[in-house]
Amino acid sequence: MTVRDIVSTLEGVLLTGEELLDTDIKAACGADLMSDVMAFVKEGVVLLTGLLNPQAIRTADMMDIKVIVFVRGKKPPKDMVQEAQDNGIALIATKYSMFLACGRLYEAGLRSGGTRDIQ
Amino acid sequence: MKLHYEVPGDDLSLAGRASTEVKRALGRLGIDPVEIKRVAVAMYEAEINMVIHAGGGTAEADISPERVTVVLADHGPGIADLDLAMQEGYSTAPESVREMGFGAGMGLPNIKRNADDLHIDTALGLGTTVTIVIKLKTG
Ligand SMILES: Nc1ncnc2c1ncn2[C@@H]1O[C@H](COP(=O)(O)OP(=O)(O)OP(=O)(O)O)[C@@H](O)[C@H]1O
Ligand SMILES: [Mg+2]
């Protein structure tokens, strides 16, 4: 699935990252706590989050995650969009909740995610 | 190459600058992206910890062809039970920190998973020094 497919599947708005529209995405991680994201070991990841602060961008940057989807109609402020743009990260806003956004992507064929053994 | 940073403890929205700059420096040196990611994630987790649990501190990165050594030192409260703190899911972070995206209790385990060597020197009331070593096979 490409970033373009993610935007259309989520009826989303691309806030920055035109140049990434054809990037291939293989796995998804939905989380509001950034250390849960950093425990996620996959390549070609889209991050879905309700966390609207610059640490979402920085976490993605550290993890080489190129795409972030903000769920539930949340739209990041200008300085966050700027930081994402400076770091080559695409931002998408969607009206769908975390559950619906993940469900729609899964249904559209994005199936790879993380599993962890029960402690 | 040695890089040194002051990490302010009063603004979580600014935290991560030191880790970002070290990541960029390693990129310019042409180091393997997988190794850079390990340094970046481990250092970022420790930098955030210093800000949310210890009121800031200093970060130092020493880059040689063989390894990257990152030392993060603070004068915060220290960690009472290090074995407990290393467990996945253990966190003393308050709700206000959780709203900022931290407090899963995964930071120290993430550091351990990414580091080749991890040493945590901590004393109650005095502070914590975290030393992270990542070996570079490209060196
Ligand atoms: N530099 C530090 N100074 C004092 N206490 C610390 C420090 N680093 C970690 N701790 C203690 O260890 C606990 C576990 O740390 P860890 O990084 O694993 O989780 P967290 O920071 O609470 O949440 P997360 O990292 O998942 O966002 C913290 O909740 C805190 O009590
Ligand atoms: Mg932490």
Side-chain angles (χ1 to χ4, degrees), chain A residues 35 38 62, chain B residues 7-8 12 15-19 38-60 70-74 79 102 106-112 114-115 118-120 128-134:
Chain A
S35 295
M38 285 185 278
M62 294 305 137
Chain B
V7 179
L12 181 55
R17 189 182 60 93
S19 305
R38 287 171 55 212
V39 175
V41 168
M43 180 173 175
Y44 180 61
E45 288 280 19
E47 185 180 353
I48 294 282
N49 276 353
M50 224 159 55
V51 175
I52 63 181
H53 303 299
T58 59
E60 215 167 79
V70 186
V71 180
L72 301 107
D74 66 59
I79 302 172
F102 293 91
M106 293 301 290
L108 290 173
N110 283 345
I111 296 172
K112 191 174 171 66
N114 282 288
L118 169 63
H119 184 74
I120 300 176
T128 302
T129 300
V130 177
T131 304
I132 297 162
V133 180
I134 276 111

Side-chain angles (χ1 to χ4, degrees), chain B:
Chain B
M1 176 171 34
K2 260 198 179 154
L3 302 167
H4 182 89
Y5 306 92
E6 300 291 326
V7 179
D10 49 359
D11 192 350
L12 181 55
S13 72
L14 297 177
R17 189 182 60 93
S19 305
T20 303
E21 289 191 15
V22 168
K23 185 173 195 264
R24 299 287 177 269
L26 294 172
R28 284 192 296 270
L29 290 170
I31 288 161
D32 174 47
V34 175
E35 294 173 338
I36 295 180
K37 185 161 146 182
R38 287 171 55 212
V39 175
V41 168
M43 180 173 175
Y44 180 61
E45 288 280 19
E47 185 180 353
I48 294 282
N49 276 353
M50 224 159 55
V51 175
I52 63 181
H53 303 299
T58 59
E60 215 167 79
D62 191 348
I63 304 165
S64 79
E66 294 81 32
R67 66 181 62 80
V68 179
T69 306
V70 186
V71 180
L72 301 107
D74 66 59
H75 294 105
I79 302 172
D81 185 339
L82 192 54
D83 286 338
L84 190 60
M86 291 303 301
Q87 282 179 23
E88 290 191 1
Y90 176 81
S91 174
T92 60
E95 189 52 35
S96 59
V97 164
R98 224 168 293 259
E99 277 162 14
M100 297 292 287
F102 293 91
M106 293 301 290
L108 290 173
N110 283 345
I111 296 172
K112 191 174 171 66
R113 191 166 34 76
N114 282 288
D116 289 307
D117 251 318
L118 169 63
H119 184 74
I120 300 176
D121 196 11
T122 187
L124 280 183
L126 290 176
T128 302
T129 300
V130 177
T131 304
I132 297 162
V133 180
I134 276 111
K135 291 180 186 151
L136 304 177
K137 52 181 176 296
T138 41

Side-chain angles (χ1 to χ4, degrees), chain A residues 52-72:
Chain A
L52 212 65
N53 82 31
Q55 300 307 337
I57 314 277
R58 268 161 238 167
T59 299
D61 186 21
M62 294 305 137
M63 290 290 286
D64 297 327
I65 291 175
K66 294 286 170 216
V67 195
I68 305 175
V69 175
F70 294 104
V71 298
R72 251 179 292 128

